[in-house]
Amino acid sequence: MAQQFRRKPVGGSPIYEPLPVKPAISSHISEVSEPSYTSSFLHAPGSHDEVPESRVVSGYHSNGEKASIPRQKPTKWGIHWRKPTFIVSMLLLGLGLSLGHHFYYSWMNNQVTGDASRQAWPTRIGTGLAFLVTSFLKAATMTSLGQYIWTVVKRQPLTMSSLDRLFSLSTDPLGLFYWELMKSAKIALFLGLIVWLLGLASVAPSATLTVVAQNITGTASVATLDWSLAIWSGETTRWIETLAPNTVAVRAANDINVVPLPAPVNATEWSYDLQFFGPSLQCAVANSTEQVVFDNVTGTMAQQDNLFTYTKITNKDYSANTANRLLWSVWSTWFGIGAPNSDWIPRILEYGVYDAYIMPQIWVQTSTQGIVCNAVNSSFDVTISFKDGMQQIIQNNIQILGNYSTPYVTITDLEPGGENSDEGGTQEVQYSPYLPHLYAIGTILAGNVSLDNVVDSDQYGNQEYAATIDSNMMTTGLTACDDIVNSPFKSLAESNASPNSTVVFMNTFPSTPWMCRNKTLIAAIQDLANNITISYLSSPQMTGNKTVLKTIQTSNTVNKYQYHPFYLFVSYGLALLFSFIAALVGFYSIFLNGVSHSMSFSAIVAATRNSELDALTGRSSLGADPMQPENESLRLKLGPLLDVDELKYTGVDPNLGERGPHVAFGLENNVGRLRKGEIYS
C-alpha cells in the first residue's frame, strides 16, 4: 500500500503526517486492469490554507464511480509517417517558394513600376516570400534537431544543465557556447547554429528587385545613304558648285565636324547606332615608285615657278632669300572639270607622270614629304547622339574594304567642248557613284599654299610672311597639323624678316592644335573624308526616302524594376543546402532511434516518469528558472530503468503478460542501454 501524506498549512514547518487511505481496490478490477502508480492532489473543499490531499484514483473516478482501466500494452517500435513527412514537406515548400520568388521577380524585371503604392507591393511580396521560405526551412531543421537530440540523450549521459541547454537550442542561443555540449553534442550544436542563422537568408532576396530610372528606348526610321539616286550619277565628270555633295563637304570642312543630322525623335537627348557603306580615303607616305612622280613634279615647280620644297632648297643650295617656299600642293587627274584651284593641274601631264594615275587618287606634297591618298570603299559603324545641346559622332569602327571600281559608262548630252566630249555627242567615261565624293573633297584640298620671299606686316603691326594661297584647305583644320605649323621653313629666315623667324611664321600660321583632330596630316585628311561621308546623311537629296529602322535611346526616363538574382540564389541556395544536411541528420536519427520522437509536453512527461527524479527535483516542481544549483551537475541518460538494489530491469509483472522495463530519464548508473526492437513498457 502506498504511503500518502498531507502537508502542513503555509507558514508552518515542513512536517508531513500520514493520511487515511482508501482500501486497495485492485481486487475489484484485477480482471480488467493493472495496478496504477498515478497520484493526484485534490484541494480540500472549503480550505484555503492547506495543500491539496493526494488520492489514489487507480480504481475509481474522482466522483467515486468505478473506472475500467485497460491493460497497459508494451511500447511498439516503429517510425510514424508524420515526422518524416513533415520534414520533407517543409523542405519542398521552402524550395517551391524560393523558386516562386525567383520567377516572380524575373517576371517583374524591366516592368514599369507605376506610382509609389504599386512600387511597394513587389517588395512586400518579396519580403513575405523570404519570410515563408526561411520559416519552412527552419521548421524542417528544428524538427531534425529534435530527432537528433533524442539520439544524443540515449547515447551518453549529460548533466541536467546540459540537457536544459540541449533541449532549448532552438530557443536559447547560449547553449551553442556550452562546453559540455561542444564535447558531446557537436552535431546538435551545428544544427542549432543552422536554426539561428537561417533567418539571415531572408535579408538579401527581397532586395534583389530594385527600382531604377532607365532611358526610354524606342524604334524610329533614320535616313541612310541611297547610292541609286540621280545625284550620284547625273554629272559624272563635271564639278558643280551647288551640287549637294559639294556644299555639304565645304560645310563639314569649315566646321571641322560632321554637319548636324536631323533629330529622329522628339527628345532633348538621343542616340542611335548606324551602319552603312560609303567612300573614304586611305593615305600613306609615298613609296619609292610614287616618290619618283613627286620628285618630277616638285623639280618642275622649282624650275618653272621658283617654288621649292624644303628638300629642294637645301639640296640644290638655292638661296632662301629668293625662293618661294612650298607648304602645300594637291593635285589629281580625277578631280571634276571646273573644280576650284585645279586650273593648273593639266600641267602635271606635261611632267610625264600621266601613267601613274591608274586608280582614283589624290596626291599631296608638303614641304618635306609626299602623301598619296587612294579613294576607297569603307564600312561605317558610328554612334550618332545629341547631348547638352551638341551633336556627337563617335566613329566606332570604319573599316576599309578596298578600292572602289570605276567602270566605263556611256553618257550623252555632254557640254560641247568638254573633256572626253565630241561636240555634244556621246562618250564612254569612267564612273562610280562614289566619284562625287572625290570631286567634293578635291574642291577643298586642291591647289597650292606657299610663302613668298618677302615679309609683310598685318593690321596690328605684327610681321608675317607674304603667302600665296590657291587652296581652300586654309579654311579647314588641316592648317593646324604638325606638317604645316612645324614645317622646317618655320626657322628659315628672310633677308628682311625680324631676327625671330619662328614668330613671323607663327603669325602667318597660328597654332590651334584642337583643329587638327588626329594630330598628323595623314590621319586628319582621312578624318575629313570620313566626316564628309557621314555629313551626307544630313541632306535629303542624298538619302531620299531610304531609311532603316533603328533602336533609339532618349533622355526621357521611366522607372523600371531591375532584378539581380545573384544574391537570391546565394541566400536561398545556402539555406536549402544546410537545411537538407539537417534533414539528412534527422532522417538518420529517426532510423537509429527506431521511432520518430516529439519535443511535446507529453513526450517529456513520458520520458521523465521516474520516482527517483521526483525525489531529486521536488523543490523545482514549479518549473522556475534557474533550477536548484544542486541538481545542475546530476548526469542523466534516457534508457530502461534499473532496480537500484538488484541492478535489474524493473516493471516486469508476469501476471500482466509480456512487458518490458520502463524507459525514462534516470541517473546514468540507474539506467540500462536502450536497444531498438526490445520490449519496453
Side-chain angles (χ1 to χ4, degrees), residues 366-380:
T366 67
S367 60
T368 58
Q369 66 178 350
I371 299 172
V372 177
C373 295
N374 293 305
V376 293
N377 180 28
S378 301
S379 63
F380 288 76

Side-chain angles (χ1 to χ4, degrees), residues 618-633:
R619 294 180 61 191
S620 301
S621 59
L622 287 176
D625 186 42
M627 73 171 69
Q628 298 297 325
E630 62 270 16
N631 293 335
E632 290 185 354
S633 59

Side-chain angles (χ1 to χ4, degrees), residues 35-105:
S36 173
Y37 303 96
T38 305
S39 60
S40 62
F41 291 88
L42 301 178
H43 186 46
S47 175
H48 301 281
D49 59 346
E50 294 184 356
V51 178
E53 295 183 340
S54 173
R55 294 182 56 196
V56 176
V57 293
S58 57
Y60 292 87
H61 291 299
S62 58
N63 59 7
E65 295 181 1
K66 185 176 180 180
S68 177
I69 303 176
R71 173 178 295 180
Q72 184 178 3
K73 297 181 180 180
T75 300
K76 291 183 178 180
W77 293 93
I79 299 174
H80 196 274
W81 60 267
R82 190 185 315 178
K83 291 295 181 183
T85 303
F86 179 80
I87 294 175
V88 173
S89 299
M90 293 297 101
L91 287 177
L92 292 178
L93 284 172
L95 174 62
L97 286 179
S98 62
L99 292 176
H101 196 170
H102 165 66
F103 291 136
Y104 172 65
Y105 274 4

Side-chain angles (χ1 to χ4, degrees), residues 159-205:
T159 62
M160 290 188 68
S161 59
S162 296
L163 287 172
D164 280 351
R165 286 166 175 79
L166 182 63
F167 275 84
S168 62
L169 273 179
S170 60
T171 57
D172 184 2
L174 294 179
L176 298 172
F177 309 100
Y178 203 65
W179 178 246
E180 185 177 6
L181 295 182
M182 291 182 183
K183 295 189 298 181
S184 306
K186 298 181 180 63
I187 296 179
L189 294 184
F190 174 68
L191 299 183
L193 183 65
I194 293 176
V195 170
W196 283 100
L197 294 182
L198 274 175
L200 295 177
S202 64
V203 175

Side-chain angles (χ1 to χ4, degrees), residues 411-433:
I411 60 175
T412 58
D413 298 331
L414 289 177
E415 180 181 352
E419 184 178 333
N420 294 329
S421 70
D422 192 11
E423 296 299 329
T426 61
Q427 180 71 38
E428 282 192 343
V429 297
Q430 287 178 291
Y431 160 78
S432 170

Side-chain angles (χ1 to χ4, degrees), residues 308-578:
F308 296 88
T309 62
Y310 184 78
T311 304
K312 293 293 184 181
I313 287 181
T314 56
N315 290 346
K316 296 297 184 180
D317 197 27
Y318 286 100
S319 171
N321 296 329
T322 60
N324 296 319
R325 307 169 190 184
L326 180 66
L327 292 176
W328 175 269
S329 182
V330 172
W331 66 85
S332 174
T333 58
W334 286 84
F335 290 162
I337 299 171
N341 305 314
S342 61
D343 53 347
W344 67 278
I345 290 178
R347 291 176 52 194
I348 300 296
L349 302 179
E350 300 175 6
Y351 303 156
V353 296
Y354 181 79
D355 293 338
Y357 308 103
I358 301 173
M359 296 299 295
Q361 293 176 323
I362 295 178
W363 295 65
V364 181
Q365 175 67 57
T366 67
S367 60
T368 58
Q369 66 178 350
I371 299 172
V372 177
C373 295
N374 293 305
V376 293
N377 180 28
S378 301
S379 63
F380 288 76
D381 182 358
V382 297
T383 297
I384 303 170
S385 63
F386 191 84
K387 186 177 182 180
D388 298 330
M390 296 182 63
Q391 175 182 272
Q392 297 178 357
I393 306 295
I394 301 175
Q395 299 180 7
N396 301 319
N397 184 29
I398 298 180
Q399 183 177 359
I400 296 174
L401 303 179
N403 299 326
Y404 55 77
S405 61
T406 53
Y408 282 88
V409 296
T410 300
I411 60 175
T412 58
D413 298 331
L414 289 177
E415 180 181 352
E419 184 178 333
N420 294 329
S421 70
D422 192 11
E423 296 299 329
T426 61
Q427 180 71 38
E428 282 192 343
V429 297
Q430 287 178 291
Y431 160 78
S432 170
Y434 288 173
L435 284 178
H437 175 266
L438 189 64
Y439 300 162
I441 197 170
T443 301
I444 300 165
L445 302 181
N448 289 356
V449 175
S450 60
L451 298 178
D452 298 339
N453 55 2
V454 294
V455 175
D456 293 333
S457 296
D458 63 12
Q459 59 181 337
Y460 304 105
N462 299 318
Q463 288 185 318
E464 61 181 13
Y465 287 115
T468 299
I469 300 175
D470 295 317
S471 175
N472 290 330
M473 65 86 60
M474 292 296 293
T475 63
T476 71
L478 300 178
T479 57
C481 295
D482 289 344
D483 302 69
I484 304 298
V485 297
N486 291 320
S487 167
F489 287 139
K490 187 176 186 179
S491 58
L492 190 62
E494 292 290 345
S495 58
N496 62 339
S498 64
N500 192 347
S501 60
T502 300
V503 174
V504 178
F505 185 90
M506 294 308 298
N507 289 338
T508 309
F509 297 97
S511 178
T512 50
W514 67 268
M515 297 172 60
C516 185
R517 298 202 312 179
N518 286 312
K519 306 302 180 183
T520 65
L521 186 61
I522 289 178
I525 293 174
Q526 295 176 160
D527 189 52
L528 174 61
N530 294 336
N531 283 351
I532 292 174
T533 299
I534 299 172
S535 296
Y536 290 157
L537 296 170
S538 66
S539 173
Q541 299 180 56
M542 290 177 279
T543 59
N545 296 323
K546 187 174 183 179
T547 60
V548 291
L549 197 64
K550 303 299 295 184
T551 299
I552 299 179
Q553 181 172 300
T554 71
S555 59
N556 302 329
T557 60
V558 62
N559 289 335
K560 288 187 176 182
Y561 293 111
Q562 193 169 79
Y563 175 40
H564 304 281
F566 176 77
Y567 290 107
L568 183 142
F569 288 154
V570 171
S571 299
Y572 285 161
L574 291 176
L576 286 166
L577 173 63
F578 286 109

Side-chain angles (χ1 to χ4, degrees), residues 195-263:
V195 170
W196 283 100
L197 294 182
L198 274 175
L200 295 177
S202 64
V203 175
S206 57
T208 54
L209 187 72
T210 58
V211 177
V212 296
Q214 292 185 355
N215 293 103
I216 297 177
T217 59
T219 56
S221 296
V222 298
T224 189
L225 298 177
D226 186 355
W227 299 106
S228 65
L229 296 176
I231 196 170
W232 303 113
S233 59
E235 295 289 344
T236 59
T237 60
R238 179 167 294 280
W239 179 86
I240 300 177
E241 181 179 4
T242 58
L243 205 62
N246 298 320
T247 58
V248 171
V250 170
R251 183 178 176 186
N254 294 343
D255 293 346
I256 318 177
N257 208 335
V258 175
V259 175
L261 309 183

Side-chain angles (χ1 to χ4, degrees), residues 90 128-142 198:
M90 293 297 101
L129 289 173
F131 170 77
L132 290 177
V133 168
T134 54
S135 296
F136 288 140
L137 297 182
K138 190 173 183 180
T141 304
M142 291 177 64
L198 274 175

